[in-house]
């Protein structure tokens, strides 16, 4: 029994690694899952009572082992079909973590790992790769390439990327300035409660850029960002209360928001 299951585990690891170039962590996880069915079946068959056990022992043992081996092979085939989808996500996540680990000391290595995870469709990695191209962290600065990765991640629903793409349209980063499109992407990120997007969108409402000017709406957005401990929004919200802009003037309320920002 142990030999059968052990062989199945080894086969799972080898096939996963060779065929799909999986990381060893992903291969171990998938191999263990595949063998679970075989192990449970083997234990079930061993516990099944047989008549005339003394006479049938050899036959029963052989049947149990071949059944376990058969299920292991079947599980392996299922894994081969599922690994391209499941294990690519495992790989992307691991490579993204590796990039984050290397980023402080080796930006070039981090960018390479971000690229690998981004190529596998990892949304956060795509956003961070865009940031690397925007700032030149580990790669040559390239605003157009930054916007390309921001857009891919934004279309996946990553709020940070939606904010970055909106900011790119607002600032003309790597593309023509377009306040209306900026507001559209910022609203998507703001709907997910992303503090920087709430703040920047509030600023656009305050200035009337890409949207109809509305101080009350600006205050509402600043408040949402401030409640999420976004310090720039706390500062601006305090100023709005101090000036009585879009809200009833309240110096004490202003001081409270400024204090919260100062404490950060």
């Amino acid at each position: 029994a142990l030999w059968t299951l052990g062989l199945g585990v080894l086969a799972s690891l080898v096939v996963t690694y060779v065929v799909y170039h999986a990381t060893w962590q992903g291969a171990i996880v998938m191999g263990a899952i595949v063998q679970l069915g075989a192990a449970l079946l083997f234990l079930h068959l061993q516990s099944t009572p047989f008549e005339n056990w003394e006479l049938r022992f050899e036959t029963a043992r052989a049947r149990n082992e071949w059944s376990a081996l058969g299920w292991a092979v079947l599980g392996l085939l299922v894994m081969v079909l599922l690994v391209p989808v499941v294990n690519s996500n495992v790989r992307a996540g691991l490579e993204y973590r590796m990039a984050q680990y290397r980023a402080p000391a080796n930006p070039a290595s981090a960018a390479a790992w971000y690229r690998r995870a981004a190529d596998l469709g990892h949304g956060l990695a795509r956003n961070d790769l865009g940031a690397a191209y925007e700032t030149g962290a580990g790669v040559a600065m390239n605003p157009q390439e930054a916007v390309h990765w921001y857009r891919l991640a934004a279309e996946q629903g990553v709020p940070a990327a939606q904010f970055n793409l909106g900011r790119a349209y607002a600032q003309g980063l790597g593309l023509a300035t377009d306040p209306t499109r900026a507001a559209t992407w910022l609203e998507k990120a703001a709907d997910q409660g992303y503090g920087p997007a709430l703040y920047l969108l509030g600023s656009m409402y305050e200035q009337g850029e890409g949207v109809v000017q509305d101080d009350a709406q600006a205050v509402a957005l600043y408040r949402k960002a401030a409640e999420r401990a976004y310090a720039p929004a706390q500062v601006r919200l305090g100023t709005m209360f101090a000036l009585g802009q879009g809200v009833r003037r309240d110096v004490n309320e202003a001081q409270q928001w400024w204090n919260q920002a100062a404490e950060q």
Side-chain angles (χ1 to χ4, degrees):
L2 293 177
W3 178 86
T4 301
L5 297 177
L7 182 62
V9 171
L10 179 61
S12 298
L13 297 178
V14 171
V15 171
T16 304
Y17 184 82
V18 172
V19 177
Y20 299 110
H21 308 289
T23 58
W24 64 269
Q25 295 97 328
I28 289 177
V29 170
M30 292 302 299
I33 293 174
V34 167
Q35 295 310 312
L36 181 61
L40 292 176
L41 177 68
F42 183 83
L43 294 175
H44 171 71
L45 291 175
Q46 286 286 53
S47 64
T48 301
F50 293 94
E51 296 179 0
N52 301 319
W53 177 257
E54 295 80 2
L55 299 177
R56 292 189 171 188
F57 179 75
E58 293 297 331
T59 301
R61 183 176 62 183
R63 184 172 67 179
N64 289 347
E65 291 184 353
W66 279 111
S67 295
L69 180 60
W71 275 92
V73 172
L74 179 60
L76 182 60
L77 293 176
V78 171
M79 183 191 68
V80 169
L81 297 175
L82 292 179
V83 162
V85 176
V86 177
N87 212 31
S88 64
N89 293 330
V90 174
R91 289 175 56 195
L94 291 171
E95 287 164 358
Y96 178 65
R97 295 300 180 190
M98 180 64 73
Q100 289 184 309
Y101 172 76
R102 291 178 177 268
N106 192 336
S109 177
W113 282 101
Y114 281 137
R115 182 59 182 259
R116 293 178 63 175
D119 287 339
L120 289 171
H122 195 283
L124 293 176
R126 287 176 167 179
N127 177 68
D128 289 354
L129 182 59
Y133 276 110
E134 179 182 350
T135 62
V139 292
M141 190 178 296
N142 188 329
Q144 290 75 24
E145 190 72 7
V147 169
H148 166 72
W149 290 108
Y150 286 153
R151 189 181 302 279
L152 290 178
E155 291 172 349
Q156 290 180 250
V158 178
Q162 293 170 340
F163 163 73
N164 283 326
L165 184 57
R167 179 173 55 82
Y169 274 114
Q171 299 174 354
L173 173 69
L175 39 68
T177 303
D178 190 332
T180 301
R181 288 189 178 181
T184 298
W185 283 108
L186 290 173
E187 286 174 356
K188 293 179 183 295
D191 287 343
Q192 299 190 62
Y194 191 67
L198 288 163
Y199 171 73
L200 184 54
L201 186 60
S203 178
M204 295 182 72
Y205 271 101
E206 183 181 351
Q207 302 299 325
E209 297 177 352
V211 293
V212 177
Q213 199 282 335
D214 188 338
D215 283 340
Q217 180 66 6
V219 168
L221 290 165
Y222 288 149
R223 185 185 294 276
K224 289 181 180 179
E227 290 172 348
R228 287 165 174 77
Y230 189 61
Q234 293 171 339
V235 173
R236 189 59 195 166
L237 182 60
T239 301
M240 300 292 274
F241 272 108
L243 298 175
Q245 183 178 341
V247 68
R248 180 179 57 82
R249 187 171 185 271
D250 188 332
V251 177
N252 292 330
E253 183 80 3
Q255 189 66 55
Q256 290 178 17
W257 286 112
W258 286 335
N259 288 340
Q260 289 189 39
E263 289 171 358
Q264 297 191 62

